[in-house]
Amino acid sequence: MNITRENIDELNAVVKVEIKKDDYQPKVEKILKDYRKSANIPGFRKGHVPMGLVKKQYGKAVLVDEVNKLLQESLNNYLNEEKLEVLGNPLPKAQDNFDWDKEDYAFEFELGLAPKFDVNLNTKNKVTHYKIVANEEMIDNQVKTIQKQYGKLVSKNEVEEGDLVAGTFKSEDGEIENTTTLPVEKIKGKRNTAKFIGAKVGDQLSLKSKNLFENTEDLTEFLAVDAETAEDLDVELSFEITEVNKQEPAELDQELFDKLFGKDQVKSVTELKEKIKEDAENQFEQQSDQQLLNDVTEKLIEETKFELPGEFLQKWIMTSGEKELSAEEAKEEYDKSEKGIRFQLIEAKIINDNDLKVELEEIKDLTKDRIKMQMAQFGQMNPSDKDLEDITARVLANQDEVKKLSEQVLNKKLLDTYKEKANLEEKELSYEDFVKEVYN
């Protein structure tokens, strides 16, 4: 067997694989002998079929199969031994006059080679690294939300602002009848709100569906009608009040703090606010980090220049999917994926240049951290080492989970590398301002 390579240019090459009869014949003969032992052909006893008949019936198929196996194996070995970084897969060149009746064969493959380039993390233009802070307004709102969530309902007779009102909506034609509970603040307009404020249990209010709520979703929920009906609904309604409740906020006391964070973890309103701020900013950091990954990625793609074997990749795309594409479809698909191909190459270069590796212990540590967080949500604050090890082992038995966790560990290492080496400019702002700046 002989393998040679002709470099067309820096990004394209052709590999020629020459296979001689001596390379495949011993394997073919062995397989045919095995076939002869088990062949079941009418007129011959099992194991006594003439070899000539076995070769005639199975010889060509076995030959083609073995040559193709040998071809694939030798090509893969060659690419590995030569340390060739290829894009896509080798593409066989068409041979119009190929003849399987010959004893020696030659095959040619087109290769798309990965470009050589350098990545400079210290980009010319700075990348914004957002530091999102929880301001006083956000913290105070979160405290109110907690008080509301853990508060209690107190029954009363007369409706005031902020109350929850239970009752039954009915239309004059009888097509609507729904018992529901709604917050007074859901009612739209001063005229409609005035009908509720001061009303008592047992009162029956006369209303119109049009402009009763801010949106059709509320109409759908509180009148139990479908979205299409709610869109243009304009009917007379009655609402009989059956219950009025005021939601009293929970006291900011030790009982509430223990319920939220565990016994004696938080002991004052000041500590509560500090905890809320810490938790919120930890969550914000995840969003900030993801944005940093996105922004550094965009900047590196923009500033790292190199050519791709575009013509080869389009030919490869034509035949690599479940359905063969036309040249026009393949070009369209290539145009869509070119940016992703570029960053895959850039990322691989960064990983190699910075010797970023994922160790099994790092995957296990990440898994344990995730398990602890999940268990804490159900009140299990201190799981035993044995429980953690057992659950971790079950998680890591799933190869898909291992792959996801490995990618997460690697992304964290990339992020740390960017924070250390990229040309960053820190910007501190509130979450609301972050959303406005990044997503609007």
Side-chain angles (χ1 to χ4, degrees):
M1 183 184 301
N2 186 41
I3 302 181
T4 56
R5 181 175 84 248
E6 178 189 358
N7 291 327
I8 307 303
D9 53 40
E10 290 185 350
L11 299 174
N12 295 275
V14 173
V15 169
K16 185 175 183 180
V17 182
E18 295 176 306
I19 297 178
K20 304 293 185 184
K21 183 177 181 180
D22 290 345
D23 298 322
Y24 62 81
Q25 191 62 23
K27 183 72 171 175
V28 171
E29 290 290 344
K30 182 180 182 307
I31 292 173
L32 289 175
K33 285 177 182 177
D34 291 341
Y35 274 21
R36 185 187 182 205
K37 292 175 186 177
S38 58
N40 191 4
I41 297 177
F44 299 95
R45 284 185 298 141
K46 191 173 182 179
H48 292 271
V49 180
M51 180 55 80
L53 187 57
V54 172
K55 287 183 176 180
K56 183 176 180 181
Q57 188 159 346
Y58 302 109
K60 181 64 68 67
V62 172
L63 168 68
V64 172
D65 189 47
E66 288 307 310
V67 169
N68 279 324
K69 284 180 184 176
L70 182 61
L71 176 62
Q72 194 61 55
E73 182 183 353
S74 58
L75 182 59
N76 289 338
N77 289 340
Y78 175 79
L79 296 179
N80 289 330
E81 289 165 4
E82 294 292 312
K83 294 182 171 56
L84 289 176
E85 295 181 50
V86 298
L87 301 180
N89 291 319
L91 288 177
K93 294 186 73 173
Q95 299 186 64
D96 295 333
N97 300 317
F98 190 85
D99 186 1
W100 282 105
D101 290 328
K102 292 183 177 180
E103 294 184 340
D104 299 334
Y105 310 105
F107 303 89
E108 291 186 335
F109 293 86
E110 296 179 63
L111 303 182
L113 305 177
K116 304 295 182 186
F117 60 92
D118 293 317
V119 178
N120 183 9
L121 288 174
N122 189 24
T123 53
K124 288 183 291 184
N125 297 310
K126 289 183 180 295
V127 177
T128 302
H129 182 198
Y130 293 101
K131 182 181 180 183
I132 309 170
V133 296
N135 56 27
E136 285 298 321
E137 182 183 359
M138 172 178 280
I139 295 169
D140 289 342
N141 286 338
Q142 185 60 32
V143 171
K144 290 175 184 176
T145 299
I146 290 171
Q147 287 183 279
K148 185 176 180 180
Q149 181 180 351
Y150 289 90
K152 60 182 179 180
L153 293 177
V154 178
S155 180
K156 51 189 296 197
N157 189 53
E158 185 175 316
V159 180
E160 294 179 288
E161 288 185 7
D163 287 346
L164 292 170
V165 183
T168 302
F169 280 109
K170 293 181 182 178
S171 62
E172 288 185 346
D173 59 12
E175 291 190 4
I176 294 174
E177 182 171 347
N178 186 53
T179 299
T180 188
T181 299
L182 66 142
V184 170
E185 59 262 28
K186 284 286 187 179
I187 302 300
K188 178 183 176 183
K190 291 181 180 179
R191 182 177 296 180
N192 288 326
T193 303
K195 292 184 179 182
F196 278 84
I197 302 301
K200 296 180 173 59
V201 173
D203 285 355
Q204 187 163 294
L205 311 181
S206 295
L207 306 162
K208 289 186 176 181
S209 62
K210 191 174 179 65
N211 296 321
L212 181 59
F213 299 107
E214 288 290 345
N215 52 59
T216 56
E217 287 80 7
D218 286 342
L219 270 176
T220 300
E221 178 183 352
F222 296 122
L223 300 186
V225 295
D226 59 50
E228 187 176 348
T229 301
E231 192 68 42
D232 299 310
L233 189 65
D234 186 4
V235 297
E236 298 288 335
L237 296 169
S238 66
F239 182 75
E240 183 178 354
I241 300 174
T242 57
E243 190 178 347
V244 180
N245 289 295
K246 179 179 181 63
Q247 191 164 37
E248 287 192 351
E251 292 291 331
L252 296 174
D253 55 19
Q254 195 61 47
E255 182 183 354
L256 178 62
F257 302 154
D258 290 349
K259 190 180 294 184
L260 290 170
F261 303 108
K263 186 167 178 57
D264 294 333
Q265 296 299 306
V266 169
K267 296 182 179 179
S268 67
V269 173
T270 300
E271 289 183 11
L272 171 65
K273 290 186 175 182
E274 288 172 354
K275 181 66 174 169
I276 290 171
K277 179 178 175 66
E278 178 187 347
D279 290 347
E281 290 182 355
N282 283 339
Q283 291 182 7
F284 294 156
E285 186 177 9
Q286 294 175 20
Q287 287 183 265
S288 171
D289 285 348
Q290 185 58 55
Q291 190 61 40
L292 180 62
L293 277 173
N294 295 344
D295 291 343
V296 171
T297 296
E298 290 294 327
K299 192 61 66 179
L300 289 173
I301 291 172
E302 178 188 323
E303 295 192 9
T304 307
K305 306 296 184 183
F306 54 82
E307 296 296 321
L308 288 171
E311 187 176 334
F312 168 84
L313 287 171
Q314 289 174 53
K315 287 168 68 175
W316 174 68
I317 288 170
M318 286 176 67
T319 58
S320 63
E322 292 182 5
K323 184 184 81 168
E324 187 163 334
L325 303 180
S326 67
E328 293 76 16
E329 290 171 328
K331 183 179 186 310
E332 184 179 344
E333 195 64 32
Y334 172 73
D335 291 340
K336 287 180 191 173
S337 58
E338 182 184 359
K339 189 174 181 180
I341 295 170
R342 287 184 177 279
F343 186 66
Q344 284 179 2
L345 291 169
I346 292 170
E347 187 178 69
K349 178 71 172 169
I350 294 169
I351 291 168
N352 185 63
D353 288 351
N354 292 276
D355 196 27
L356 304 182
K357 296 185 177 115
V358 176
E359 306 292 344
L360 178 59
E361 284 304 312
E362 293 172 318
I363 298 175
K364 289 178 70 174
D365 289 343
L366 176 61
T367 305
K368 288 179 182 179
D369 288 342
R370 298 284 170 83
I371 293 167
K372 286 178 184 176
M373 288 172 59
Q374 290 175 356
M375 294 179 80
Q377 291 174 0
F378 295 96
Q380 296 174 268
M381 309 302 292
N382 296 299
S384 69
D385 290 342
K386 184 179 185 308
D387 286 343
L388 278 177
E389 288 291 343
D390 289 347
I391 298 171
T392 298
R394 289 199 295 272
V395 171
L396 298 185
N398 184 328
Q399 290 305 307
D400 289 338
E401 282 299 316
V402 173
K403 183 179 178 183
K404 284 184 200 172
L405 290 162
S406 178
E407 288 172 355
Q408 290 167 15
V409 172
L410 185 57
N411 277 341
K412 177 67 168 60
K413 294 194 171 197
L414 280 167
L415 184 65
D416 291 342
T417 302
Y418 294 161
K419 287 180 179 179
E420 178 188 350
K421 298 183 178 181
N423 187 10
L424 305 182
E425 180 178 49
E426 188 174 281
K427 183 173 184 178
E428 186 174 299
L429 72 181
S430 69
Y431 182 72
E432 290 78 6
D433 289 339
F434 169 76
V435 171
K436 287 177 187 175
E437 181 161 327
V438 172
Y439 300 114
N440 292 344

